[in-house]
Amino acid sequence: MASLPANSFDSIVTDPPYGLSKQPNMREVLKHWLNGDDYTASGGGFMGKSWDSFVPGPKTWEQAFRVLKPGGYAVVFAGSRTVDLMATSLRLAGFEVVDMLHWLYGSGFPKSMDIGKAIDAQDAVAERRARQDRDEGLEDFALATAGEMTGGRAEGSDGLNSPRSGAGRTGGARNVHPTVKPTAVMRWLVRLVTPPGGIPFDPFCGSGSTLKAAALEGFNAVGCEMDPQYAAIARAREEAARCKKQST
Ligand SMILES: C[S@@+](CC[C@H](N)C(=O)[O-])C[C@H]1O[C@@H](n2cnc3c(N)ncnc32)[C@H](O)[C@@H]1O
């Protein structure tokens, strides 16, 4: 992101790391951030992923602020547990917080109840659609096992069904990213903050849900992703969406 020219993008739509490791010492975090350093959390974040161990610090958001055109809006996802940290980091980087949107969804994550499974018939259809959405354009990618989808948990183990691991994740998917966002949600957000003909930017694009959504809305988006496996998935999903858009 540091190599991108200033004022390049009309909007930012991004789903950054939520920082779901253990609760941080807030005084330590602020000491680092006010000194212009990064705070390093110990332990992994969501599903043990090291990239999720802490929210991006102000130094990173300063780069996002720099590449966003003046007056541009950023839609930034955050987890309920660390939304205060995300907002503070954004503010220290120069962003103003103007509103908060809530995305409420039923899935296997809250406590021990898989709400989706409680509505069985709808669940199967919804899951099939969600998988199609995640895997569209990835026909040449290998199918992952359920263990691979949950960061290495053994097939058939209790851990595979733990709410913390993304309860009931099954194998046979090609998009191995653990936090893929639904295209319908991302399309709405991209439309919400991007002016006609504008360029949306996603500095943490993962498997490319923002890029796919932008392509379907007719925007040329740009994304950054540090993991080459996720970046390859993002490119393929965006390309498939672009072809689909052209053929309609
Ligand atoms: C929450 S995920 C985004 C998932 C995405 N919304 C999707 O639908 O696939 C955040 C992503 O940011 C990436 N990431 C974390 N720190 C990064 C950095 N400094 N530069 C680029 N990518 C980073 C991680 O590898 C991860 O894929």
Side-chain angles (χ1 to χ4, degrees):
M1 188 160 42
S3 62
L4 294 169
N7 306 330
S8 299
F9 305 114
D10 297 272
S11 65
I12 291 176
V13 179
T14 193
D15 172 30
Y18 291 2
L20 299 181
S21 53
K22 65 177 190 179
Q23 295 285 345
N25 177 333
M26 209 45 204
R27 287 176 197 279
E28 276 300 305
V29 174
L30 287 176
K31 200 165 78 189
H32 281 276
W33 284 0
L34 292 172
N35 277 339
D37 306 330
D38 279 327
Y39 172 83
T40 312
S42 57
F46 181 64
M47 284 170 64
K49 301 288 181 192
S50 57
W51 54 256
D52 192 54
S53 62
F54 209 59
V55 301
K59 261 183 12 184
T60 303
W61 287 122
E62 276 167 18
Q63 291 301 325
F65 190 78
R66 186 184 62 80
V67 299
L68 181 64
K69 288 182 185 171
Y73 283 88
V75 175
V76 179
F77 279 73
S80 50
R81 211 165 83 197
T82 49
V83 63
D84 58 329
L85 290 166
M86 196 76 82
T88 304
S89 184
L90 285 159
R91 284 185 193 276
L92 287 172
F95 286 96
E96 292 171 17
V97 177
V98 294
D99 216 334
M100 189 187 279
L101 304 173
H102 290 254
W103 175 44
L104 305 176
Y105 57 92
S107 80
F109 293 103
K111 298 292 178 197
S112 58
M113 167 83 168
D114 187 337
I115 298 164
K117 284 203 172 123
I119 335 169
D120 245 357
Q122 288 179 20
D123 188 46
V125 177
E127 174 50 28
R128 206 167 43 243
R129 285 208 191 111
R131 180 163 295 191
Q132 272 167 8
D133 182 17
R134 293 194 294 261
D135 282 1
E136 201 172 15
L138 303 182
E139 294 72 21
D140 293 339
F141 286 63
L143 288 169
T145 63
E148 285 162 344
M149 297 295 294
T150 50
R153 286 180 166 84
E155 301 295 322
S157 68
D158 286 347
L160 215 55
N161 279 321
S162 152
R164 292 273 306 147
S165 73
R169 273 176 195 248
T170 52
R174 298 177 200 276
N175 186 345
V176 291
H177 200 291
T179 66
V180 185
K181 295 294 172 289
T183 301
V185 173
M186 302 313 291
R187 287 182 76 160
W188 188 82
L189 293 173
V190 167
R191 275 200 313 273
L192 183 70
V193 291
T194 315
I199 307 177
F201 175 52
D202 185 346
F204 304 97
C205 77
S207 70
S209 301
T210 305
L211 307 183
K212 173 177 178 176
L216 292 172
E217 290 296 326
F219 293 110
N220 283 318
V222 173
C224 293
E225 171 51 52
M226 67 180 187
D227 183 313
Q229 187 185 15
Y230 298 155
I233 292 172
R235 272 190 221 103
R237 291 181 76 213
E238 182 188 25
E239 181 58 27
R242 204 164 294 291
C243 292
K244 192 170 173 180
K245 173 77 178 166
Q246 276 163 8
S247 67
T248 54

